Amino acid sequence: MKKFLFKLEPLFEYRNRLEEISRKDFAEALKRLDEEDEKLSALRRLYARASEEADRLKEDSIHPEELGMYYSYIATVKDQIAGQEAILRSVRAELEVKRAGLMKASKDKLAIGTMKEKSFAAYRETVEKEEQKITDDMNSMRFKRGGAHED
């Protein structure tokens, strides 16, 4: 009996590779999202600390010029937070594109994989029929040679 050969194997391998690439791209985008989210968290922590420090200095009757510098710094951090939030939105949008690409690649691979499974099942059925035919022929030949007189 000849070996199982799936005619669309090159296409299956190609789609498998596309899925692997999409999975890697998605993982990288997810990692970048985590990194950018951590940057935003760090900026928010910095903003909170700077605001607390400014409030403390205000209570200590610090020179207005110095207090103005703190408020300027706080405003700069606030602008950085806004910029980081925009970056985060962009990275989230990119992540969704990568997720959609991964889902499509997985579906495409699954479609060919299902065809491969059906093709293999048909192959197995053919093999089993041929094996059964050979077994039946051998039993028939034994019977004809006198195998039935052994009672």
Side-chain angles (χ1 to χ4, degrees), residues 32-38 40-41 44 82-94:
R32 177 153 186 246
L33 177 69
D34 288 343
E35 290 169 353
E36 297 299 336
D37 193 38
E38 180 53 40
L40 179 61
S41 295
R44 285 182 174 157
Q84 187 62 30
E85 287 171 340
I87 290 170
L88 205 52
R89 283 190 298 275
S90 172
V91 170
R92 281 190 181 116
E94 180 184 332

mmCIF file of all heavy atoms in Angstrom, residues 32-38 40-41 44 82-94:
data_model
loop_
_atom_site.group_PDB
_atom_site.id
_atom_site.type_symbol
_atom_site.label_atom_id
_atom_site.label_comp_id
_atom_site.label_asym_id
_atom_site.label_seq_id
_atom_site.Cartn_x
_atom_site.Cartn_y
_atom_site.Cartn_z
ATOM 1 N N ARG A 32 4.635 44.741 23.726
ATOM 2 C CA ARG A 32 4.778 46.201 23.606
ATOM 3 C C ARG A 32 3.665 46.907 24.378
ATOM 4 O O ARG A 32 3.914 47.921 25.030
ATOM 5 C CB ARG A 32 4.760 46.630 22.145
ATOM 6 C CG ARG A 32 4.843 48.143 22.024
ATOM 7 C CD ARG A 32 5.458 48.637 20.749
ATOM 8 N NE ARG A 32 5.599 50.078 20.817
ATOM 9 C CZ ARG A 32 4.945 50.922 20.041
ATOM 10 N NH1 ARG A 32 4.135 50.472 19.102
ATOM 11 N NH2 ARG A 32 5.115 52.212 20.171
ATOM 12 N N LEU A 33 2.454 46.363 24.324
ATOM 13 C CA LEU A 33 1.352 46.943 25.082
ATOM 14 C C LEU A 33 1.681 46.938 26.574
ATOM 15 O O LEU A 33 1.477 47.947 27.256
ATOM 16 C CB LEU A 33 0.056 46.168 24.823
ATOM 17 C CG LEU A 33 -1.156 46.650 25.617
ATOM 18 C CD1 LEU A 33 -1.596 48.031 25.135
ATOM 19 C CD2 LEU A 33 -2.294 45.657 25.493
ATOM 20 N N ASP A 34 2.197 45.835 27.067
ATOM 21 C CA ASP A 34 2.567 45.752 28.483
ATOM 22 C C ASP A 34 3.638 46.789 28.831
ATOM 23 O O ASP A 34 3.566 47.445 29.878
ATOM 24 C CB ASP A 34 3.077 44.347 28.828
ATOM 25 C CG ASP A 34 1.976 43.311 28.849
ATOM 26 O OD1 ASP A 34 0.785 43.695 28.919
ATOM 27 O OD2 ASP A 34 2.304 42.109 28.783
ATOM 28 N N GLU A 35 4.627 46.928 27.951
ATOM 29 C CA GLU A 35 5.704 47.892 28.196
ATOM 30 C C GLU A 35 5.169 49.326 28.233
ATOM 31 O O GLU A 35 5.515 50.115 29.118
ATOM 32 C CB GLU A 35 6.782 47.770 27.121
ATOM 33 C CG GLU A 35 7.585 46.494 27.209
ATOM 34 C CD GLU A 35 8.464 46.249 25.982
ATOM 35 O OE1 GLU A 35 8.356 47.010 24.981
ATOM 36 O OE2 GLU A 35 9.253 45.290 26.011
ATOM 37 N N GLU A 36 4.316 49.660 27.260
ATOM 38 C CA GLU A 36 3.772 51.021 27.195
ATOM 39 C C GLU A 36 2.826 51.283 28.370
ATOM 40 O O GLU A 36 2.779 52.394 28.898
ATOM 41 C CB GLU A 36 3.053 51.256 25.858
ATOM 42 C CG GLU A 36 3.955 51.165 24.640
ATOM 43 C CD GLU A 36 5.090 52.183 24.614
ATOM 44 O OE1 GLU A 36 4.976 53.261 25.257
ATOM 45 O OE2 GLU A 36 6.110 51.933 23.940
ATOM 46 N N ASP A 37 2.105 50.260 28.778
ATOM 47 C CA ASP A 37 1.211 50.400 29.929
ATOM 48 C C ASP A 37 2.025 50.642 31.197
ATOM 49 O O ASP A 37 1.643 51.451 32.050
ATOM 50 C CB ASP A 37 0.344 49.143 30.065
ATOM 51 C CG ASP A 37 -0.809 49.346 31.022
ATOM 52 O OD1 ASP A 37 -1.398 50.446 31.031
ATOM 53 O OD2 ASP A 37 -1.123 48.395 31.765
ATOM 54 N N GLU A 38 3.150 49.961 31.316
ATOM 55 C CA GLU A 38 4.022 50.165 32.484
ATOM 56 C C GLU A 38 4.601 51.580 32.472
ATOM 57 O O GLU A 38 4.723 52.213 33.526
ATOM 58 C CB GLU A 38 5.145 49.124 32.510
ATOM 59 C CG GLU A 38 6.081 49.261 33.683
ATOM 60 C CD GLU A 38 5.398 49.306 35.044
ATOM 61 O OE1 GLU A 38 4.423 48.544 35.254
ATOM 62 O OE2 GLU A 38 5.832 50.091 35.906
ATOM 63 N N LEU A 40 3.143 54.204 31.291
ATOM 64 C CA LEU A 40 2.051 55.080 31.722
ATOM 65 C C LEU A 40 1.876 55.003 33.242
ATOM 66 O O LEU A 40 1.709 56.030 33.904
ATOM 67 C CB LEU A 40 0.746 54.699 31.012
ATOM 68 C CG LEU A 40 -0.479 55.527 31.391
ATOM 69 C CD1 LEU A 40 -0.263 56.998 31.057
ATOM 70 C CD2 LEU A 40 -1.714 54.991 30.673
ATOM 71 N N SER A 41 1.926 53.814 33.781
ATOM 72 C CA SER A 41 1.803 53.657 35.236
ATOM 73 C C SER A 41 2.918 54.398 35.966
ATOM 74 O O SER A 41 2.681 55.056 36.990
ATOM 75 C CB SER A 41 1.828 52.173 35.613
ATOM 76 O OG SER A 41 0.703 51.515 35.105
ATOM 77 N N ARG A 44 2.210 58.074 35.914
ATOM 78 C CA ARG A 44 1.130 58.418 36.858
ATOM 79 C C ARG A 44 1.639 58.410 38.296
ATOM 80 O O ARG A 44 1.241 59.259 39.103
ATOM 81 C CB ARG A 44 -0.040 57.446 36.688
ATOM 82 C CG ARG A 44 -0.833 57.737 35.421
ATOM 83 C CD ARG A 44 -2.011 56.825 35.262
ATOM 84 N NE ARG A 44 -2.809 57.229 34.108
ATOM 85 C CZ ARG A 44 -3.616 56.432 33.452
ATOM 86 N NH1 ARG A 44 -3.753 55.169 33.821
ATOM 87 N NH2 ARG A 44 -4.296 56.886 32.416
ATOM 88 N N ALA A 82 -0.526 62.354 28.920
ATOM 89 C CA ALA A 82 -1.452 62.446 27.786
ATOM 90 C C ALA A 82 -0.820 61.845 26.529
ATOM 91 O O ALA A 82 -1.483 61.117 25.772
ATOM 92 C CB ALA A 82 -1.855 63.899 27.547
ATOM 93 N N GLY A 83 0.449 62.142 26.309
ATOM 94 C CA GLY A 83 1.149 61.573 25.159
ATOM 95 C C GLY A 83 1.258 60.056 25.255
ATOM 96 O O GLY A 83 1.070 59.337 24.261
ATOM 97 N N GLN A 84 1.555 59.571 26.458
ATOM 98 C CA GLN A 84 1.672 58.123 26.654
ATOM 99 C C GLN A 84 0.317 57.444 26.486
ATOM 100 O O GLN A 84 0.243 56.327 25.954
ATOM 101 C CB GLN A 84 2.264 57.820 28.034
ATOM 102 C CG GLN A 84 2.589 56.365 28.267
ATOM 103 C CD GLN A 84 3.648 55.838 27.300
ATOM 104 O OE1 GLN A 84 4.518 56.569 26.846
ATOM 105 N NE2 GLN A 84 3.550 54.570 26.971
ATOM 106 N N GLU A 85 -0.760 58.097 26.906
ATOM 107 C CA GLU A 85 -2.100 57.532 26.703
ATOM 108 C C GLU A 85 -2.409 57.410 25.210
ATOM 109 O O GLU A 85 -3.017 56.428 24.781
ATOM 110 C CB GLU A 85 -3.156 58.381 27.413
ATOM 111 C CG GLU A 85 -3.124 58.218 28.922
ATOM 112 C CD GLU A 85 -4.025 59.207 29.662
ATOM 113 O OE1 GLU A 85 -4.383 60.258 29.085
ATOM 114 O OE2 GLU A 85 -4.344 58.918 30.837
ATOM 115 N N ALA A 86 -1.966 58.407 24.424
ATOM 116 C CA ALA A 86 -2.166 58.342 22.968
ATOM 117 C C ALA A 86 -1.362 57.174 22.376
ATOM 118 O O ALA A 86 -1.862 56.443 21.509
ATOM 119 C CB ALA A 86 -1.755 59.660 22.318
ATOM 120 N N ILE A 87 -0.141 57.012 22.838
ATOM 121 C CA ILE A 87 0.687 55.890 22.379
ATOM 122 C C ILE A 87 0.010 54.574 22.729
ATOM 123 O O ILE A 87 -0.053 53.654 21.913
ATOM 124 C CB ILE A 87 2.110 55.967 22.991
ATOM 125 C CG1 ILE A 87 2.883 57.132 22.387
ATOM 126 C CG2 ILE A 87 2.858 54.653 22.801
ATOM 127 C CD1 ILE A 87 4.203 57.433 23.084
ATOM 128 N N LEU A 88 -0.513 54.491 23.934
ATOM 129 C CA LEU A 88 -1.178 53.272 24.389
ATOM 130 C C LEU A 88 -2.405 52.952 23.528
ATOM 131 O O LEU A 88 -2.634 51.790 23.178
ATOM 132 C CB LEU A 88 -1.573 53.426 25.861
ATOM 133 C CG LEU A 88 -1.738 52.187 26.691
ATOM 134 C CD1 LEU A 88 -0.523 51.271 26.588
ATOM 135 C CD2 LEU A 88 -1.993 52.539 28.142
ATOM 136 N N ARG A 89 -3.172 53.977 23.176
ATOM 137 C CA ARG A 89 -4.334 53.750 22.287
ATOM 138 C C ARG A 89 -3.882 53.213 20.929
ATOM 139 O O ARG A 89 -4.484 52.292 20.371
ATOM 140 C CB ARG A 89 -5.128 55.047 22.100
ATOM 141 C CG ARG A 89 -6.010 55.403 23.274
ATOM 142 C CD ARG A 89 -6.957 56.550 22.940
ATOM 143 N NE ARG A 89 -6.271 57.789 22.612
ATOM 144 C CZ ARG A 89 -5.841 58.681 23.504
ATOM 145 N NH1 ARG A 89 -6.020 58.468 24.794
ATOM 146 N NH2 ARG A 89 -5.234 59.780 23.113
ATOM 147 N N SER A 90 -2.799 53.773 20.422
ATOM 148 C CA SER A 90 -2.260 53.328 19.137
ATOM 149 C C SER A 90 -1.784 51.876 19.218
ATOM 150 O O SER A 90 -2.039 51.069 18.310
ATOM 151 C CB SER A 90 -1.104 54.246 18.731
ATOM 152 O OG SER A 90 -0.443 53.754 17.602
ATOM 153 N N VAL A 91 -1.100 51.541 20.293
ATOM 154 C CA VAL A 91 -0.591 50.179 20.471
ATOM 155 C C VAL A 91 -1.757 49.202 20.623
ATOM 156 O O VAL A 91 -1.724 48.092 20.089
ATOM 157 C CB VAL A 91 0.380 50.103 21.669
ATOM 158 C CG1 VAL A 91 0.726 48.674 22.022
ATOM 159 C CG2 VAL A 91 1.643 50.896 21.365
ATOM 160 N N ARG A 92 -2.807 49.619 21.320
ATOM 161 C CA ARG A 92 -4.000 48.753 21.455
ATOM 162 C C ARG A 92 -4.653 48.508 20.101
ATOM 163 O O ARG A 92 -5.084 47.391 19.808
ATOM 164 C CB ARG A 92 -5.009 49.379 22.416
ATOM 165 C CG ARG A 92 -4.644 49.175 23.865
ATOM 166 C CD ARG A 92 -5.783 49.589 24.796
ATOM 167 N NE ARG A 92 -5.395 49.400 26.168
ATOM 168 C CZ ARG A 92 -5.272 50.367 27.060
ATOM 169 N NH1 ARG A 92 -5.530 51.623 26.722
ATOM 170 N NH2 ARG A 92 -4.906 50.090 28.293
ATOM 171 N N ALA A 93 -4.730 49.547 19.276
ATOM 172 C CA ALA A 93 -5.297 49.392 17.941
ATOM 173 C C ALA A 93 -4.444 48.433 17.107
ATOM 174 O O ALA A 93 -4.968 47.564 16.398
ATOM 175 C CB ALA A 93 -5.408 50.752 17.252
ATOM 176 N N GLU A 94 -3.135 48.577 17.214
ATOM 177 C CA GLU A 94 -2.213 47.687 16.505
ATOM 178 C C GLU A 94 -2.382 46.245 16.997
ATOM 179 O O GLU A 94 -2.371 45.304 16.200
ATOM 180 C CB GLU A 94 -0.774 48.150 16.727
ATOM 181 C CG GLU A 94 0.267 47.300 16.037
ATOM 182 C CD GLU A 94 1.687 47.741 16.372
ATOM 183 O OE1 GLU A 94 1.910 48.934 16.668
ATOM 184 O OE2 GLU A 94 2.584 46.880 16.337
#
